[in-house]
Amino acid sequence: MFLINCPFCGERDQSEFSSGGEAHIVRPKQPTELSDDEWAEYLFMRKNIKGIQFERWNHAHGCRKWFNVVRDTSNDKILSVYKMGEKPPVNYK
Amino acid sequence: MLDILHPKISNINKNNIDINLSEEKIKINIRGKNKEFFTKVGKILSIILPSETNTSSSNENYDVLWLSPDEWMIYFDENKNTNIFDQLYKDISTLNVGSITDISSQLICINIKGENIFELLSSGSPFNFEKFKNNVGSSTQTLVNHIDVILHHKSKNNVNLFVRRSFSEHLYEWLVDSSNFI
Ligand SMILES: [Zn+2]
């Protein structure tokens, strides 16, 4: 268990949130021009890093807003939280 | 059988905790972002929508709770001005300035008061009530016994809890049961 700092509500328990998987995956502009493999790559393939990962989270049992989180999956430390549409912080890779 | 329209909730007092059904309340959910929306709501309700996280504003007629940056809930007693929904709907929803929904049937209001209510709520909630209990007017959405609730700190040690109708009897039973152990 860990705490997440919702950009709208402040610090709340993880149990109020639901994880939305990897962040910053962009839908291809012309899906019809992609091969099946390329489409599958976009649709299904996700990173599963031990270390720093960019994720989407939803404050499901609070304000119900989506936002982004930079989390170290090896120790659940949250390094940064930023709103949807904002650029990811540059100091993590 | 569970009767979701008429959950069995009776008034009870245990260990300095009063639990009462407060069924006669109108609740309206309002959503919007632009300037026109804020001006119109302000004019109709004579109240400024709270912009600060987890707060509320009140006047003699209404209580307005902050739910998210573009969402609020208004609630008031049934016998107060009853055409406020129609007014809001006509000026906001029909003109696409925002969205107005009557959620009176969706949610039930359970009033909890007494010295030990925050201990009771804390025993089944991940929310930190430290700040909430010292600030009358605070509001929040969180979980109590894994059930979504909206809480409004109406006056000192007096909280209005809003819960979905179909969950209300179960939550009520949990509240009554848990107040034995406070
Ligand atoms: Zn939130």
Side-chain angles (χ1 to χ4, degrees), chain B residues 2-3 6 22 34 39 47 54 64 75 102 106 171:
Chain B
L2 175 72
D3 180 355
H6 309 97
S22 193
N34 58 30
T39 325
I47 211 167
N54 298 330
V64 185
Y75 75 92
D102 188 337
Q106 185 203 1
L171 182 62

Side-chain angles (χ1 to χ4, degrees), chain A residues 6-10 12 16-17 59 62-65 67, chain B residues 66-67:
Chain A
C6 169
F8 305 99
C9 306
R12 298 292 190 97
E16 287 189 10
F17 298 83
H59 195 185
C63 63
R64 298 191 298 282
K65 289 281 175 200
F67 55 93
Chain B
W66 182 98
L67 298 184

Side-chain angles (χ1 to χ4, degrees), chain B residues 124-137:
Chain B
S125 175
F127 183 70
N128 182 355
F129 283 97
E130 251 342 275
K131 220 172 126 197
F132 187 93
K133 72 176 173 194
N134 294 322
N135 287 297
V136 170

Side-chain angles (χ1 to χ4, degrees), chain A residues 63-65, chain B residues 28-34 37-38 41 49 67-74 88 92-93 96-101:
Chain A
C63 63
R64 298 191 298 282
K65 289 281 175 200
Chain B
I28 301 170
N29 181 283
I30 66 171
R31 303 195 68 155
K33 290 180 180 171
N34 58 30
F37 167 81
F38 288 103
V41 174
L49 293 176
L67 298 184
S68 98
D70 57 0
E71 187 179 8
W72 293 264
M73 186 176 84
I74 309 166
L88 285 166
I92 292 165
S93 269
N96 274 334
V97 178
S99 117
I100 309 289
T101 316

